Amino acid sequence: MNDVKPYPLTISAIRISIAISLLLTAAGVYLLLSWARVDSFAQTKATPLLVAAEALNQRIMAQRELLQACALQPSCAITQDNIEKLREALTQFRSVASENKSEVSLVGAVEYTALELALNRFQASAQSQEDRLTLYIELTSSFQQIEANYAALVTKISTDTLMQKNRFFIWLMGIIAVLVAVAFVSNLWTIMRLRQSNANERKVVTEFEQLARELQKIDAERLDTLLNDTSINRQQRQIYARLKRTFSDLENQKRANDLYKQLYSLIGYEIRGITNTISGGVQYLSSDNDKNGQAMVKEVTTAAQTLAELAENYNRLISQGADSKAHEFSLLSLLSELMLHVNAKAMRNQTPLETLFDETLPSRVEGRQTQLFWVLFLQIADAISRHATQPLFISVTSGAAADAGKTQLTLSLHFLTSFDIALNKLSALHWRELETPTGSKDDLANAVLGSEMGYHSQWHQSGKQVRFQLHFDVKAKNFHASNALLENKKLMLCSEYALRRDVLHQTLTRAGADVSLVSSPAELLTQHPHFHQFDALLLADCFEPSKLRSLAKTVQKQCMQNEAQHGLRPQLIVYNNTLYGHLSHSTNDGANALSPVPFIDAQLSAPMMGFESLPQLASILAAAQHREHDQPTRFLIVEDDRVQQILLKRILAKQEYNADSVSDGADAVAYIMKQRSDIIFMDCIMPGMNGIEATKRIRQFEKNEGISPCTIIGATALSSQNEHQSCIAAGMDFVVSKPYKQDEIIKVINKYAAAQRLN
């Protein structure tokens, strides 16, 4: 930019001009008020000298009239009082005249002396008719001269007053003229300076616009060209030099970030590949091992999963970068992931776990998702480690926060002596707050989450029971609406533990189910004549393998007898909250992968989360009603990793599904063009045609042919939100993480297989 002259219009000049104008205005106002106060006639009449002169004239005239009347009536008498009043008026006039010598001078004015002598002679005489006539003549003679003096005095005072008013007016007009001149000169001067300033401003704006256009297309090479241009001025050179340094710093930082991200992604991907191979191979080989071998398999798998969890969360943090701003996310998904990890932690510590969620929880909230997950998980994991031997009951409730625009969530961890305690009795316990120091951890949590979340924790105790509560505030976008998913469904729930019965009963009845409770397997068997009245029998206790098979076999036998008699048979469902290894293999997300159990129709994974478990149970019951009339669901696996192909086929086989497989996106498109598949598991990243491109082509083929769309489940080892969005945008219905997690696969199958049957 060229050098621009500073604005000549300074603040001092403006202030001086305003000050002069204010002073002149004040003087003008004073003169105007003075001019208005000057009234020629009223002010002349009110002059003390004229007032005294007029009073003297009136007394003389009154005395003359009296003498004239007495001349006609000889009997009339002139009182002394009349003479004295005239003498007082004369004395008063002389006194005022002596005080106003500038207005009138009595030197040489013999008429006033003659008047006084005439009054004296009259008072000294006998006041005869002749004396009265003489006084009348002398008064008349003096009055003529005094009247002439009065007229001259009035003229003189009126002239002086008018001249004073004219002087005020002349000064006022002069000040107004000066004000107009000052205003004119000031405005002219200001306009000239403003024109110059506007010209400079337009010049600056033009140069900034030119600079802005230059910056839109600027790059490092262009900066070098501009810096070598000798025609640019000093300011422009400084700007471009600073931009050059900023460009260099950004480029270096970008290259470093890209390298680190690539490195971190490769590390995470390699860790995932290793854990996929370990988990898949161990699960594939575990069926032939003895009990000791299975225990070792479980330990190895758990270690591999821990490594996978670290890689997954590490990649998530890397994908988010340094941006820790609050954003909108699904609270229910966060709680689901949190409970699965907590359940895995509890299982490793041999700690039984039950959960109960408030039905009015927020669905989507605004906050820091990853930070909140880790703060909660680390606090809960630490609490579980302290009380590893006690059964754990977790409740999640919501309520009003101090901030009217937010909702307070409370996670309560109850470490109990036993699950054999009713829920209402647990709620009625008196809890005493413990003095366990939590301040430092709360301060750290608030530093990570932000103080606006109001995070704090408390420890309480009631006898041998201990409670740990976590409180934090969230800004809710919407709330979870509990639907009557199990309306008109009759369920029989069997559990020996009062707390488990109450928790499951409350969760199921919220969904509209009619639930009957039995407290033992023996009591369950006594109800066999009524089994046909129920849609499902739910076993919710921990059983040893032999006892579970025996009980399931007996119950199924009774169900078949009822079916033969009444034509109806309930589903036998196990709520898989057991610590026995043969029923659960720990998976990468910490949940229980459900292995097939003889004589069991279906299994529900623990812990019970209404917003997830209830749709799963509803799908199981709905699938049972249509299973006899349905065509088998057809699956296609698109996966380039041989181990992952085998693992996914094995998961599907356990659910009695057959699947075809291809190892490339192009092969998948060719397969779909030849035959129908209901559900496709599509790896997103493959050599050749990747899963995203294959999905786009399959969706286009379905649109062109007018056929109902199949369900495409994307699978990716990366946890980047952008990649997940790209998969959904391409036409995928859902995205799961790799390595494949058995419980997640089963949940997805139950959901989308039912949808395909409805279609």
Side-chain angles (χ1 to χ4, degrees):
M1 286 175 285
N2 297 328
D3 293 336
V4 178
K5 294 182 180 179
Y7 292 171
L9 183 60
T10 64
I11 298 298
S12 299
I14 295 176
R15 288 180 177 176
I16 292 173
S17 176
I18 292 175
I20 293 174
S21 299
L22 289 176
L23 289 174
L24 289 174
T25 302
V29 170
Y30 170 77
L31 290 173
L32 178 63
L33 294 175
S34 300
W35 176 84
R37 284 197 300 267
V38 175
D39 187 346
S40 300
F41 178 76
Q43 190 169 356
T44 300
K45 295 291 289 184
T47 303
L49 185 60
L50 288 179
V51 171
E54 186 177 6
L56 177 60
N57 289 348
Q58 290 176 353
R59 283 295 177 186
I60 294 172
M61 289 176 63
Q63 193 64 35
R64 285 178 66 232
E65 291 175 357
L66 180 60
L67 290 173
Q68 188 176 5
C70 288
L72 299 176
Q73 297 179 6
S75 60
C76 177
I78 302 299
T79 64
Q80 193 69 25
D81 183 58
N82 292 335
I83 298 301
E84 289 300 325
K85 286 182 179 179
L86 178 57
R87 189 186 298 276
E88 288 177 1
L90 177 59
T91 303
Q92 178 66 24
F93 172 74
R94 284 179 170 176
S95 175
V96 174
S98 64
E99 295 175 358
N100 294 273
K101 293 181 180 180
S102 61
E103 301 292 339
V104 63
S105 176
L106 298 183
V107 177
V110 296
E111 58 272 14
Y112 298 102
T113 304
L115 175 62
E116 184 178 8
L117 291 174
L119 292 176
N120 291 336
R121 281 194 299 269
F122 179 76
Q123 284 183 327
S125 68
Q127 298 182 2
S128 62
Q129 184 69 16
E130 185 180 355
D131 294 331
R132 287 196 290 270
L133 180 59
T134 301
L135 179 61
Y136 175 78
I137 294 172
E138 290 177 348
L139 287 178
T140 300
S141 176
S142 298
F143 178 72
Q144 291 176 352
Q145 186 61 42
I146 290 173
E147 180 70 19
N149 292 342
Y150 176 75
L153 184 61
V154 169
T155 301
K156 183 177 185 306
I157 293 176
S158 297
T159 301
D160 292 343
T161 302
L162 184 60
M163 289 180 65
Q164 183 184 10
K165 191 168 186 178
N166 289 339
R167 281 196 300 271
F168 283 138
F169 181 77
I170 291 170
W171 275 105
L172 181 61
M173 291 298 102
I175 288 178
I176 291 175
V178 173
L179 270 175
V180 171
V182 169
F184 177 77
V185 172
S186 298
N187 290 335
L188 182 62
W189 182 56
T190 302
I191 291 172
M192 292 175 61
R193 297 303 183 268
L194 285 177
R195 284 182 177 177
Q196 184 177 354
S197 300
N198 290 336
N200 292 337
E201 184 177 355
R202 286 193 296 271
K203 187 174 183 180
V204 171
V205 170
T206 302
E207 292 184 355
F208 269 114
E209 290 177 350
Q210 181 181 356
L211 180 61
R213 289 192 296 270
E214 188 70 42
L215 291 176
Q216 289 178 353
K217 57 183 180 180
I218 205 163
D219 53 20
E221 184 177 352
R222 177 64 177 165
L223 278 174
D224 290 335
T225 303
L226 291 172
L227 289 173
N228 292 328
D229 186 358
T230 58
S231 64
I232 63 175
N233 59 44
R234 180 171 55 85
Q235 290 90 343
Q236 287 177 315
R237 188 173 300 279
Q238 289 177 350
I239 292 175
Y240 292 142
R242 290 185 181 182
L243 283 176
K244 176 64 176 179
R245 289 195 296 270
T246 303
F247 260 82
S248 299
D249 294 341
L250 288 176
E251 287 295 328
N252 293 335
Q253 186 177 0
K254 183 179 179 181
R255 283 194 294 269
N257 288 341
D258 290 342
L259 290 174
Y260 280 122
K261 282 188 177 182
Q262 292 175 13
L263 178 61
Y264 295 151
S265 299
L266 288 174
I267 292 173
Y269 195 82
E270 288 301 320
I271 293 175
R272 287 178 177 277
I274 295 171
T275 55
N276 290 349
T277 303
I278 294 174
S279 299
V282 168
Q283 290 185 30
Y284 184 76
L285 298 173
S286 62
S287 58
D288 297 329
N289 291 340
D290 56 13
K291 291 182 178 180
N292 292 331
Q294 291 181 0
M296 182 60 66
V297 165
K298 183 178 179 181
E299 293 298 325
V300 173
T301 305
T302 301
Q305 289 152 8
T306 302
L307 187 62
E309 291 168 8
L310 291 175
E312 180 174 352
N313 285 283
Y314 186 71
N315 277 341
R316 183 185 303 169
L317 288 173
I318 292 301
S319 67
Q320 290 180 352
D323 185 11
S324 60
K325 295 181 180 179
H327 62 278
E328 185 178 334
F329 65 92
S330 171
L331 176 67
L332 300 183
S333 298
L334 182 143
L335 291 176
S336 173
E337 183 179 1
L338 177 66
M339 288 302 112
L340 292 175
H341 283 274
V342 170
N343 186 50
K345 172 73 175 178
M347 288 182 61
R348 289 194 292 270
N349 289 346
Q350 298 291 305
T351 302
L353 173 66
E354 278 297 343
T355 60
L356 180 62
F357 290 81
D358 196 344
E359 60 181 340
T360 59
L361 290 177
S363 176
R364 296 193 67 79
V365 300
E366 186 177 294
R368 297 178 173 89
Q369 179 181 7
T370 305
Q371 290 87 335
L372 178 60
F373 169 82
W374 278 108
V375 166
L376 295 177
F377 176 70
L378 293 176
Q379 290 272 46
I380 294 174
D382 179 65
I384 293 175
S385 299
R386 293 188 184 187
H387 302 274
T389 60
Q390 293 180 262
L392 174 60
F393 169 58
I394 300 179
S395 64
V396 183
T397 58
S398 63
D403 187 343
K406 293 185 178 181
T407 301
Q408 185 179 77
L409 294 182
T410 301
L411 274 71
S412 300
L413 283 69
H414 302 81
F415 296 95
L416 309 173
T417 55
S418 170
F419 278 162
D420 195 17
I421 178 175
L423 188 58
N424 57 354
K425 289 184 178 181
L426 179 62
S427 302
L429 289 178
H430 174 71
W431 296 97
R432 175 177 57 87
E433 186 171 355
L434 297 178
E435 296 183 357
T436 304
T438 60
S440 59
K441 292 184 178 179
D442 290 352
D443 291 342
L444 179 60
N446 281 309
V448 173
L449 298 175
S451 58
E452 65 274 6
M453 292 194 71
Y455 180 92
H456 63 282
S457 60
Q458 295 171 314
W459 282 94
H460 301 88
Q461 187 172 13
S462 178
K464 295 183 178 180
Q465 333 274 347
V466 179
R467 183 178 70 184
F468 179 49
Q469 288 187 317
L470 306 173
H471 309 273
F472 57 94
D473 299 340
V474 294
K475 187 176 182 180
K477 296 297 184 179
N478 53 54
F479 287 82
H480 173 63
S482 56
N483 300 320
L485 297 175
L486 302 179
E487 190 174 8
N488 300 323
K489 300 296 182 183
K490 292 191 65 176
L491 307 176
M492 181 174 287
L493 172 63
C494 175
S495 177
E496 294 182 347
Y497 299 105
L499 180 62
R500 183 168 294 160
R501 285 199 305 272
D502 290 347
V503 168
L504 295 178
H505 180 266
Q506 188 174 123
T507 303
L508 296 171
T509 52
R510 284 176 181 172
D514 181 6
V515 183
S516 298
L517 302 176
V518 293
S519 58
S520 67
E523 185 181 356
L524 174 66
L525 295 177
T526 62
Q527 301 296 319
H528 72 87
H530 310 291
F531 282 172
H532 64 280
Q533 300 175 4
F534 294 90
D535 294 286
L537 308 178
L538 184 60
L539 305 180
D541 279 335
C542 302
F543 296 97
E544 294 181 3
S546 58
K547 291 183 179 180
L548 178 60
R549 283 193 293 268
S550 176
L551 176 61
K553 182 177 180 180
T554 303
V555 172
Q556 286 286 22
K557 182 178 179 180
Q558 293 175 344
C559 289
M560 286 188 289
Q561 292 174 356
N562 259 341
E563 184 180 18
Q565 184 176 357
H566 300 284
L568 298 172
R569 183 176 73 87
Q571 292 289 294
L572 182 58
I573 302 173
V574 170
Y575 171 56
N576 189 45
N577 197 4
T578 178
L579 298 176
Y580 292 102
H582 78 288
L583 280 179
S584 60
H585 294 290
S586 182
T587 63
N588 289 337
D589 64 354
N592 296 334
L594 309 182
S595 303
V597 178
F599 309 109
I600 297 295
D601 295 308
Q603 299 182 60
L604 285 177
S605 59
M608 173 70 77
M609 292 176 284
F611 51 85
E612 286 192 348
S613 303
L614 294 177
Q616 182 183 358
L617 178 57
S619 298
I620 291 172
L621 298 179
Q625 292 180 349
H626 303 285
R627 189 169 292 139
E628 295 182 358
H629 308 285
D630 288 341
Q631 294 291 331
T633 303
R634 291 160 293 186
F635 288 85
L636 175 64
I637 300 173
V638 186
E639 174 64 69
D640 64 321
D641 189 330
R642 181 62 178 169
V643 173
Q644 294 303 308
Q645 272 193 21
I646 296 173
L647 178 59
L648 186 52
K649 275 190 174 183
R650 185 181 180 87
I651 294 173
L652 295 175
K654 290 179 180 179
Q655 304 302 314
E656 300 181 355
Y657 293 118
N658 293 322
D660 294 332
S661 61
V662 295
S663 58
D664 180 74
D667 294 339
V669 175
Y671 181 96
I672 293 300
M673 289 182 175
K674 294 179 181 178
Q675 55 186 309
R676 165 80 180 181
S677 283
D678 297 308
I679 298 178
I680 302 174
F681 284 93
M682 179 78 70
D683 187 7
C684 295
I685 302 176
M686 294 180 292
M689 184 185 294
N690 60 32
I692 294 177
E693 180 62 27
T695 300
K696 292 179 179 178
R697 296 193 181 189
I698 291 173
R699 292 306 189 205
Q700 188 62 44
F701 170 75
E702 292 171 340
K703 181 179 180 180
N704 294 340
E705 297 296 322
I707 59 179
S708 60
C710 61
T711 297
I712 301 179
I713 309 298
T716 175
L718 301 178
S719 56
S720 169
Q721 187 176 3
N722 291 334
E723 182 170 341
H724 281 228
Q725 291 175 350
S726 299
C727 294
I728 297 300
M732 297 183 185
D733 298 280
F734 195 75
V735 180
V736 298
S737 299
K738 292 174 62 178
Y740 296 110
K741 306 162 188 175
Q742 185 164 317
D743 68 316
E744 185 177 16
I745 297 300
I746 294 173
K747 190 184 301 181
V748 170
I749 290 173
N750 290 336
K751 176 180 179 180
Y752 288 102
Q756 285 294 327
R757 283 193 292 271
L758 292 176
N759 291 336

